[in-house]
Amino acid sequence: MSFPRLVAFDLDDTLAPSKSVMDPLMGELLLALAGRAEVAIISGGQLSQFMMQVVDRLPDTGADELSHFHLLPACGTQYYRLSGHSVEMVYARALTEDQKRRALSVLEEEARRLGLWESETWGEILEDRDSQITFSALGQQAPVDKKSAWDPTGERKSSLRAAVAARLPDLEVRSGGSTSVDVTEQGIDKAYGMQRLVEQTGIALDDMLFVGDRLDQHGNDYPVLAMGVACHAVGGWEEAARFVDALLREAAPRPVTRAL
């Protein structure tokens, strides 16, 4: 593809280690990329994570570069733009109080039934993100090594997702990060967020590129690939940094793939 007009990124394990701050090198690369294209970040995390992990770690710069950043927390159910050095909300969709109550209750009940409600945790296991309810098996602030060891095959998380989905047929239940399960309105995933980018920017999907670490069929980035957006898979922020550096040199490494 020619140089994309918009490059969208997953956050955890793509721009930064899970729930950790972004390396200064990645910040420099993102700013350089914002001088060439629109830069979007779409993740299941909440806005405060985007700010802590990415925005607050960007090098000091002028307002023009920042105006090219698009932040889509909770898989695009919320949309924010950077204006100068402030954050402006474009929209935010919220779950109803009944939907939140049922999601919180069912997640806890099924996690306990399956033996996945851990006693040693780092932060809250259940979090109300207004437009998304998130279960994090080891808590929101668990160390990366603990999270990686909890469910290396994804089997535990998948069993919880299936059990919760069966009890909440009117809501979307999907695997999130390495230890998380997310509940949103029906039909909400990262493809939803990409469509909102089309509407807000006027840039066609064919002119976008997505970079993420979970583009496998059961990963939370896969819906973007399935909708036909050009995608590049990475295995961590270091790979993402090398890819962006090569992209800026207009020699993007392959594969850049599309779902059939």
Side-chain angles (χ1 to χ4, degrees):
M1 66 183 297
S2 58
F3 200 92
R5 294 178 61 194
L6 183 149
V7 184
F9 297 87
D10 172 48
L11 177 48
D12 282 344
D13 299 319
T14 297
L15 292 180
S18 180
K19 302 295 191 300
S20 302
V21 298
M22 182 174 64
D23 188 273
L25 172 61
M26 182 59 81
E28 294 174 7
L29 289 168
L30 288 182
L31 279 184
L33 184 59
R36 298 284 304 274
E38 301 298 302
V39 176
I41 304 170
I42 179 168
S43 169
Q46 59 183 330
L47 179 63
S48 60
Q49 289 176 231
F50 284 57
M51 300 302 295
M52 180 273 290
Q53 292 180 257
V54 177
V55 177
D56 292 346
R57 313 300 294 188
L58 292 172
D60 289 337
T61 186
D64 183 62
E65 290 92 343
L66 295 178
S67 70
H68 295 287
F69 279 82
H70 307 254
L71 310 178
L72 290 88
C75 293
T77 55
Q78 301 168 25
Y79 192 133
Y80 299 86
R81 298 292 303 272
L82 297 183
S83 177
H85 292 279
S86 63
V87 180
E88 295 184 353
M89 184 179 72
V90 178
Y91 67 75
R93 299 182 58 162
L95 292 166
T96 68
E97 291 305 312
D98 175 67
Q99 289 170 328
K100 291 179 182 181
R101 177 189 58 76
R102 289 188 292 119
L104 288 165
S105 176
V106 171
L107 279 165
E108 180 169 352
E109 289 172 9
E110 291 301 320
R112 290 186 182 279
R113 183 181 67 84
L114 294 169
L116 303 179
W117 192 267
E118 302 292 344
S119 57
E120 182 182 9
T121 59
W122 292 260
E124 296 296 323
I125 294 176
L126 292 172
E127 184 179 17
D128 180 353
R129 297 178 179 174
D130 202 33
S131 56
Q132 176 177 294
I133 301 297
T134 294
F135 166 90
S136 298
L138 300 178
Q140 292 294 321
Q141 306 304 321
V144 174
D145 60 332
K146 298 290 187 181
K147 293 169 68 174
S148 299
W150 184 77
D151 187 23
T153 67
E155 182 178 355
R156 305 176 80 185
K157 186 174 58 174
S158 294
S159 67
L160 178 60
R161 189 214 66 79
V164 172
R167 292 184 58 186
L168 298 174
D170 61 318
L171 296 173
E172 190 79 26
V173 184
R174 64 184 179 280
S175 296
S178 56
T179 65
S180 64
V181 171
D182 299 325
V183 180
T184 62
E185 290 181 86
Q186 190 69 258
I188 301 295
D189 54 25
K190 289 187 179 180
Y192 172 89
M194 297 299 290
Q195 289 289 359
R196 301 294 78 76
L197 280 169
V198 173
E199 295 172 6
Q200 293 293 329
T201 66
I203 298 173
L205 292 175
D206 285 346
D207 292 322
M208 295 183 180
L209 172 66
F210 179 84
V211 181
D213 71 309
R214 294 292 310 281
L215 286 160
D216 56 283
Q217 190 168 1
H218 300 291
N220 61 357
D221 296 327
Y222 180 76
V224 182
L225 179 64
M227 73 189 303
V229 174
C231 294
H232 184 82
V234 297
W237 78 266
E238 295 93 344
E239 285 188 21
R242 288 193 292 270
F243 177 77
V244 174
D245 181 62
L247 186 65
L248 289 167
R249 298 171 188 272
E250 298 186 334
R254 293 297 186 258
V256 173
T257 59
R258 292 182 187 271
L260 299 177

